[in-house]
Amino acid sequence: MPRLGMAPLRRTQLIDATIQCIHEEGVGRASVQRISRRAGLSPGIVAHYFDDKEGLLVATLRRLNKRLSDETIRRMHQAKTPRDRLWAIIDAHFEPVHFAPDTVDAWFALWGKVREIPELQRVHRVYEARLRSNLRHSVRPLVAAERVLPVADALGAMIDGLWAKAAQPTTEIDADAARAVFADVLDRVLDH
Amino acid sequence: MPRLGMAPLRRTQLIDATIQCIHEEGVGRASVQRISRRAGLSPGIVAHYFDDKEGLLVATLRRLNKRLSDETIRRMHQAKTPRDRLWAIIDAHFEPVHFAPDTVDAWFALWGKVREIPELQRVHRVYEARLRSNLRHSVRPLVAAERVLPVADALGAMIDGLWAKAAQPTTEIDADAARAVFADVLDRVLDH
Amino acid sequence: MPRLGMAPLRRTQLIDATIQCIHEEGVGRASVQRISRRAGLSPGIVAHYFDDKEGLLVATLRRLNKRLSDETIRRMHQAKTPRDRLWAIIDAHFEPVHFAPDTVDAWFALWGKVREIPELQRVHRVYEARLRSNLRHSVRPLVAAERVLPVADALGAMIDGLWAKAAQPTTEIDADAARAVFADVLDRVLDH
Amino acid sequence: MPRLGMAPLRRTQLIDATIQCIHEEGVGRASVQRISRRAGLSPGIVAHYFDDKEGLLVATLRRLNKRLSDETIRRMHQAKTPRDRLWAIIDAHFEPVHFAPDTVDAWFALWGKVREIPELQRVHRVYEARLRSNLRHSVRPLVAAERVLPVADALGAMIDGLWAKAAQPTTEIDADAARAVFADVLDRVLDH
DNA sequence: TATGAATGAGGATTCATTCAT
DNA sequence: AATGAATGAATCCTCATTCAT
């Protein structure tokens, strides 16, 4: 069965299985055995492609972040005005594909493991830094200089807070509700 | 060593040890053995007072929530104006005692286990409902009727988001920074 | 609460609780804690009256045997003929009080622990020897000399086998069914 | 060390170790650790092949029953007359291989766990039903219609009773003694 | 006499990882 | 490239026992 060039496919299979597994059974239940079985592969394969379980989790968070980052960049490129750029960031985070329950769950669960897995922390910091940087750049043309930081942090906190809320099993928050919150608040927070 | 009436003391000892353990070693490393050793007690004692580990975790989240709730109530009672009541809620969440790293870490880690432990989910929902209710009541006199919900949700998301950020090991957020964000944003979000 | 002369009462309470506990939850689940709770007493009391758990189990089997033995003696005293004496033994074993499910269960369960608890083995051997002796004495006048042993052993095996069957949770054997089996077989096995 | 197709061998190794362990140390001492060590394997292997300890115990009883059943069938096929078929059943149960102390011990010990492990109960019931059915069919041509049940039950009880007695550590019963009992009783119980 | 707090050893089980095939 | 057999450490939990009160 082994063929050439299977690496990317296998990696994707395993990462997807990890996300599903975390979503449906919880991180605590997301063992190598369960993940690989769900991927239709054997437990040994994880070591082959990711060295160990930590490697798989790190790769999973990396992919999650990459998807979000790609979507953000794509949308920001299309944006014409500073305000549009800000909305591009927000919309990227709450677009149905990335705000889907399994994605949000896995993201939140891995975030919770940051403290235990140093490499995961590094990956998370990259995401965090990029979001913060994007927000500050987008906010800068829209508010007085001394308000750039607090406004960017407020918006970042709202994004994270709404994601965290969406990761709860009984949540009532969905993408539209989240965007409505921003729609109400955003213009008031910016200077005219 | 066995004495009478030790129950409340022992419970507190174990809950405190749980918080410390999660803070210093991570939830994944917070085993019954390690928690009880840190409390200066034996592993068996957990079953004695909390039935099992889940019981201990649930009791821990309950206590965390209670502390926050008590502080919120205390501050809201002292508040004179609607705006003061809103700040009471915010200040309660970012008062140094409750915003201390170990508290925030444990709170975040347990939040991450909500999906796996049903009873934890119940406890978390109570906290969430109370915060939302408090925010709505406090916001109502300060904004137009149709804006009560989005504004309350925005503020709630900001609180959660800042807590979540504070729970990261490399965070730069502290209580003052968090409050500064609210100070900048709050008045603009409210109607005059 | 401690009063004088409670010893016999407490012992009986604990032995009865042991029998009930074994019957309702299985020997494996019959822990000191559960037994004492069912007796309305504290776990420590077992050490007080029986030294340790083995002591309690031994006392329980002893009492079970004693009840059976007393009943057998009582009935044998009333018997007039050799054949009556044989039936006295059989009837004693299948009289509703001693053939009750909880008694049979406990008896069978403790029998299964004989291999692990030497003192239990000793107690069991006493019962076994007495039953065998009673059977042989009763059978002797009723069969040729060389048939005393096999007939007595056959009857003993039937008694034990029916008890063992009665100890199964889904058994269809009751006292009447058991006696019917003897009624059919006994006379044919004896010489006329 | 891992090789392919080890499953049947490993299963047999573990089942045999279980029987030996029960025989030499008692069911209470037959822990997964001890069983697997005796099999020259690691504790984790039990989960691999039998899911959990219950699975191993069930598989053990199943194998014990199968051996007995195979032997019974083999002997019954060779039997020419109804009376031979009856003796085939008896002989199968008391043939030295199956009446060996370790087999009898394990069988008796597992029988004692029937109440606690539902699946074990199911397996036991199958054995019981087969034995009863075999006895009734064999007895039918040899006694009056209304005596089929009591005679079959009497013989079944004798078999179980002798096995139970043989399972006692200090027993004096061996295969020959058991067969002698049947030799004495059988013809008298049957109609001529 | 009786309690129940506390211990710590031992049990079953789960799991990441290794490695021969 | 991929498998899955096997390991053994770690975890949670149960339990008999001890002991101050």
Side-chain angles (χ1 to χ4, degrees):
Chain A
M1 302 130 199
R3 292 187 232 152
L4 257 53
M6 298 302 277
L9 172 59
R10 292 284 177 261
R11 280 175 197 276
T12 296
Q13 275 181 295
L14 285 166
I15 287 172
D16 287 347
T18 304
I19 293 170
Q20 288 307 314
C21 216
I22 291 176
H23 172 50
E24 287 174 26
E25 320 196 47
V27 229
R29 238 80 65 181
S31 66
V32 169
Q33 309 242 355
R34 259 191 277 261
I35 290 169
S36 57
R37 191 185 314 137
R38 180 179 291 262
L41 299 165
S42 67
I45 203 73
V46 168
H48 195 288
Y49 282 115
F50 298 98
D51 287 350
D52 54 16
K53 192 190 179 184
E54 286 199 10
L56 173 56
L57 296 182
V58 169
T60 302
L61 184 58
R62 225 190 287 271
R63 173 145 316 176
L64 252 22
N65 285 351
K66 175 129 180 40
R67 283 192 205 152
L68 207 45
S69 164
D70 287 351
E71 179 72 24
T72 306
I73 288 167
R74 198 180 61 77
R75 285 174 176 266
M76 286 182 80
H77 275 314
Q78 296 178 340
K80 300 275 159 40
T81 68
R83 218 176 144 280
D84 281 358
R85 270 205 298 283
L86 206 45
W87 268 108
I89 298 172
I90 295 166
D91 282 336
H93 279 81
F94 295 99
E95 208 233 358
V97 181
H98 305 116
F99 199 60
D102 55 356
T103 299
V104 175
D105 282 353
W107 181 84
F108 186 68
L110 292 175
W111 198 1
K113 280 196 159 291
V114 158
R115 182 164 296 262
E116 288 165 50
I117 305 178
E119 182 64 10
L120 219 46
Q121 177 177 330
R122 232 184 48 76
V123 173
H124 176 67
R125 252 202 321 239
V126 170
Y127 155 81
E128 203 182 15
R130 189 169 42 218
L131 174 58
R132 172 175 280 193
S133 158
N134 279 338
L135 284 171
R136 288 183 182 176
H137 275 87
S138 305
V139 161
R140 195 177 313 277
L142 300 169
V143 302
E146 75 278 9
R147 296 191 60 233
V148 171
L149 263 58
V151 169
D153 283 349
L155 295 177
M158 278 175 63
I159 291 176
D160 287 348
L162 288 166
W163 269 59
K165 189 153 297 183
Q168 296 315 313
T170 58
T171 191
E172 299 155 26
I173 290 276
D174 62 3
D176 287 336
R179 257 192 304 246
V181 171
F182 280 97
D184 180 281
V185 160
L186 195 61
D187 280 329
R188 293 168 206 266
V189 162
L190 303 178
D191 296 337
H192 337 277
Chain B
M1 299 132 201
R3 284 183 242 157
L4 258 53
M6 299 301 278
L9 173 59
R10 292 286 177 259
R11 281 174 197 274
T12 296
Q13 275 181 293
L14 286 165
I15 288 173
D16 288 347
T18 304
I19 294 170
Q20 288 308 314
C21 216
I22 291 176
H23 172 51
E24 288 174 26
E25 321 194 47
V27 231
R29 238 82 69 179
S31 66
V32 169
Q33 216 107 9
R34 261 191 277 261
I35 290 170
S36 56
R37 191 186 313 136
R38 179 179 292 261
L41 297 166
S42 68
I45 205 70
V46 168
H48 195 288
Y49 282 114
F50 298 97
D51 286 350
D52 53 18
K53 191 189 178 184
E54 286 200 3
L56 174 56
L57 296 182
V58 168
T60 302
L61 184 57
R62 226 189 286 270
R63 172 145 317 177
L64 252 23
N65 284 353
K66 176 131 179 42
R67 284 193 204 151
L68 206 44
S69 164
D70 287 350
E71 180 72 25
T72 306
I73 289 167
R74 198 181 62 77
R75 286 175 176 265
M76 285 182 81
H77 274 314
Q78 296 178 340
K80 298 275 160 43
T81 67
R83 216 175 144 283
D84 280 357
R85 271 204 297 282
L86 206 45
W87 268 108
I89 298 172
I90 296 166
D91 281 336
H93 280 81
F94 296 98
E95 208 229 1
V97 181
H98 305 119
F99 201 60
D102 55 356
T103 299
V104 175
D105 282 354
W107 182 84
F108 186 68
L110 293 176
W111 199 1
K113 280 196 162 287
V114 159
R115 182 163 294 264
E116 287 167 52
I117 305 178
E119 183 64 11
L120 219 47
Q121 176 177 331
R122 234 184 47 77
V123 174
H124 175 67
R125 244 188 342 222
V126 170
Y127 155 81
E128 203 183 16
R130 190 169 40 218
L131 173 58
R132 174 176 278 194
S133 159
N134 280 338
L135 284 172
R136 287 182 182 177
H137 275 87
S138 305
V139 161
R140 196 178 311 275
L142 300 168
V143 303
E146 73 277 9
R147 295 191 61 233
V148 171
L149 264 57
V151 168
D153 283 350
L155 296 177
M158 278 175 64
I159 290 176
D160 286 348
L162 288 166
W163 268 60
K165 190 153 295 181
Q168 298 313 313
T170 58
T171 190
E172 300 154 25
I173 290 275
D174 63 3
D176 287 338
R179 257 194 302 247
V181 172
F182 279 98
D184 179 281
V185 159
L186 194 62
D187 279 329
R188 292 167 207 267
V189 162
L190 303 178
D191 298 337
H192 335 280
Chain C
M1 300 132 203
R3 291 189 233 151
L4 257 51
M6 299 301 278
L9 172 58
R10 292 284 176 262
R11 281 175 197 276
T12 296
Q13 275 180 295
L14 285 165
I15 288 172
D16 288 347
T18 304
I19 294 169
Q20 287 308 315
C21 215
I22 291 176
H23 172 50
E24 287 174 26
E25 320 196 48
V27 230
R29 237 80 64 180
S31 65
V32 169
Q33 308 242 356
R34 260 191 277 261
I35 290 169
S36 56
R37 191 185 314 138
R38 181 179 291 262
L41 298 167
S42 67
I45 204 73
V46 168
H48 195 288
Y49 281 114
F50 299 97
D51 286 352
D52 53 18
K53 192 189 178 183
E54 287 200 2
L56 173 56
L57 296 182
V58 169
T60 302
L61 184 58
R62 226 190 286 270
R63 172 146 315 176
L64 252 20
N65 285 351
K66 176 129 178 40
R67 283 192 207 154
L68 206 45
S69 165
D70 287 351
E71 179 71 25
T72 306
I73 290 168
R74 196 180 64 76
R75 285 175 176 267
M76 286 183 80
H77 274 315
Q78 296 179 340
K80 301 273 159 42
T81 68
R83 216 175 146 283
D84 281 358
R85 271 206 296 284
L86 205 45
W87 269 107
I89 298 172
I90 296 165
D91 281 336
H93 280 80
F94 296 98
E95 207 233 359
V97 181
H98 305 118
F99 200 60
D102 54 356
T103 299
V104 175
D105 282 354
W107 182 85
F108 185 68
L110 292 174
W111 199 0
K113 280 197 161 290
V114 158
R115 182 163 295 263
E116 288 165 50
I117 304 178
E119 182 65 10
L120 218 47
Q121 177 176 331
R122 235 184 47 75
V123 174
H124 175 67
R125 246 190 338 228
V126 170
Y127 155 81
E128 204 183 15
R130 189 170 41 219
L131 172 58
R132 173 175 281 193
S133 159
N134 280 338
L135 284 171
R136 288 183 182 177
H137 275 88
S138 304
V139 161
R140 196 178 310 277
L142 300 169
V143 302
E146 74 277 11
R147 294 192 60 234
V148 171
L149 265 57
V151 169
D153 284 348
L155 295 177
M158 278 176 62
I159 291 176
D160 288 348
L162 288 167
W163 268 60
K165 190 153 296 182
Q168 297 314 313
T170 58
T171 191
E172 301 155 26
I173 291 276
D174 63 2
D176 287 337
R179 256 193 304 246
V181 172
F182 280 99
D184 180 282
V185 159
L186 195 61
D187 279 330
R188 292 167 206 267
V189 162
L190 302 178
D191 297 337
H192 335 279
Chain D
M1 300 132 196
R3 285 182 241 158
L4 259 52
M6 300 302 278
L9 172 58
R10 292 286 177 259
R11 280 173 198 276
T12 296
Q13 275 181 292
L14 285 165
I15 287 172
D16 288 347
T18 304
I19 294 169
Q20 288 308 314
C21 216
I22 290 175
H23 172 51
E24 288 175 25
E25 321 194 47
V27 230
R29 237 83 69 180
S31 65
V32 168
Q33 216 106 9
R34 259 192 278 259
I35 290 170
S36 57
R37 191 185 313 136
R38 180 179 291 261
L41 297 166
S42 68
I45 204 70
V46 168
H48 195 288
Y49 283 113
F50 299 97
D51 287 350
D52 52 17
K53 191 188 179 185
E54 286 200 3
L56 174 56
L57 296 182
V58 169
T60 303
L61 184 57
R62 226 189 286 270
R63 172 146 317 177
L64 251 21
N65 284 352
K66 176 130 179 42
R67 283 192 203 152
L68 206 44
S69 164
D70 287 350
E71 180 71 24
T72 305
I73 289 167
R74 199 180 62 77
R75 286 176 175 266
M76 285 182 81
H77 275 313
Q78 297 178 340
K80 299 273 162 42
T81 68
R83 217 177 143 282
D84 281 357
R85 270 203 298 282
L86 207 45
W87 268 109
I89 298 171
I90 296 165
D91 281 337
H93 280 80
F94 296 99
E95 208 229 0
V97 181
H98 305 118
F99 201 60
D102 55 356
T103 299
V104 176
D105 282 354
W107 182 84
F108 185 68
L110 292 175
W111 199 1
K113 279 196 163 289
V114 159
R115 183 164 294 263
E116 286 167 53
I117 305 178
E119 183 64 10
L120 218 47
Q121 175 176 331
R122 231 184 49 78
V123 173
H124 175 67
R125 251 197 325 233
V126 170
Y127 155 81
E128 202 183 17
R130 189 168 42 217
L131 173 57
R132 172 176 281 194
S133 159
N134 280 338
L135 284 171
R136 288 182 183 178
H137 275 87
S138 304
V139 161
R140 197 179 310 276
L142 301 168
V143 303
E146 73 277 9
R147 296 192 59 235
V148 171
L149 265 58
V151 169
D153 283 350
L155 296 177
M158 279 176 63
I159 290 176
D160 287 348
L162 289 166
W163 268 60
K165 190 154 296 181
Q168 297 315 312
T170 58
T171 190
E172 299 155 25
I173 291 275
D174 63 3
D176 288 336
R179 259 193 302 246
V181 171
F182 280 98
D184 179 281
V185 159
L186 195 60
D187 280 328
R188 293 167 206 267
V189 162
L190 303 178
D191 297 337
H192 338 279

